[in-house]
Amino acid sequence: MVDSPGAVVAGGGPDLLERYLPVYDVVITEHLAVDADTGATFRAAKELDFLTVRSPLLTASMFVRALPARLRGHAAAPPAELHLAGDSPGLPGWLHLEDMTGREVVFGAIGKFWKADIEWRDVPVERFAMFQEPGWGKIACHLLVRPDGPDRAMLTYECRTGTTDSGARRMLARYWWLIRPFVGHIMRATLRTISADAVRARCGTP
């Protein structure tokens, strides 16, 4: 396990992500400089429709994840939009955990991600941080916006995954070895989409 002492960001104390998953097994972080101010960048991050992220790997991964349910004839119709911020994130198991206005959006999920057909566990937001039932994994992610000079922002996307016992930890380790390169690619594509949305908003372009 990796025990983080608490990330500190410019202009404030520990970031919100630390409240929800301070101890984790694996983490991946991506950064992108955005040619827009922090306000426009934060709004683009908060309002992101993940279905607008242009990535062949994301499309393929969503198809593969839905395949077991399709083969059983239980596949649900795909949503028209997919937001991970707001009262209804639009994915089973996923929660919008908290915002820090103008700076950070935090979301997460509890599930057995290593299964071909993921088993999700729905819990209230207030139980997420303390959830420790054996056999489960926990993902907590944030989109963090910081100033990076006049009319520029630094956008960070970090995803942490922890487990609740040694058996789940072993399953996650094998799964993570396989998917880590794809996760990084999708996260970078997500940052590029947010950046493009923020720049269009800054320029007044639809």
Side-chain angles (χ1 to χ4, degrees):
M1 299 286 282
V2 177
D3 192 351
S4 169
V8 178
V9 296
D15 61 46
L16 295 179
L17 189 59
E18 288 293 311
R19 297 183 186 178
Y20 293 96
L21 199 59
V23 179
Y24 45 91
D25 297 296
V26 295
V27 61
I28 185 166
T29 307
E30 299 286 347
H31 306 279
L32 183 67
V34 180
D35 289 322
D37 60 38
T38 55
T41 304
F42 178 79
R43 285 190 296 273
K46 178 78 180 286
E47 297 169 4
L48 176 67
D49 175 2
F50 279 76
L51 295 184
T52 66
V53 175
R54 296 293 176 241
S55 165
L57 286 180
L58 178 59
T59 303
S61 67
M62 292 179 72
F63 175 82
V64 170
R65 278 301 189 188
L67 190 57
R70 288 180 180 176
L71 293 175
R72 295 195 309 271
H74 296 158
E81 296 181 344
L82 180 55
H83 300 273
L84 292 181
D87 294 334
S88 180
L91 279 180
W94 285 88
L95 294 168
H96 173 213
L97 296 172
E98 193 172 353
D99 290 351
M100 184 175 293
T101 301
R103 192 173 84 173
E104 187 178 6
V105 179
V106 187
F107 47 92
I110 297 173
K112 298 180 181 181
F113 321 114
W114 44 85
K115 288 188 170 184
D117 190 4
I118 296 177
E119 181 179 348
W120 298 103
R121 176 64 185 270
D122 291 314
V123 299
V125 170
E126 59 270 18
R127 285 192 56 206
F128 183 91
M130 300 304 296
F131 180 88
Q132 288 297 327
E133 290 183 20
W136 295 91
K138 298 168 66 175
I139 297 175
C141 308
H142 75 175
L143 293 164
L144 178 68
V145 179
R146 293 167 291 165
D148 189 39
D151 297 320
R152 281 174 57 89
M154 181 60 65
L155 178 61
T156 296
Y157 189 0
E158 181 169 310
C159 287
R160 302 174 176 182
T161 305
T163 49
T164 56
D165 65 8
S166 59
R169 193 169 301 118
R170 287 192 297 271
M171 298 298 293
L172 174 65
R174 290 195 289 268
Y175 175 66
W176 185 247
W177 178 86
L178 177 66
I179 70 160
R180 188 196 182 285
F182 304 101
V183 172
H185 171 88
I186 292 168
M187 289 173 67
R188 290 189 292 274
T190 301
L191 292 181
R192 291 193 296 269
T193 301
I194 295 171
S195 175
D197 290 347
V199 170
R200 278 196 297 269
R202 182 201 65 184
C203 299
T205 305

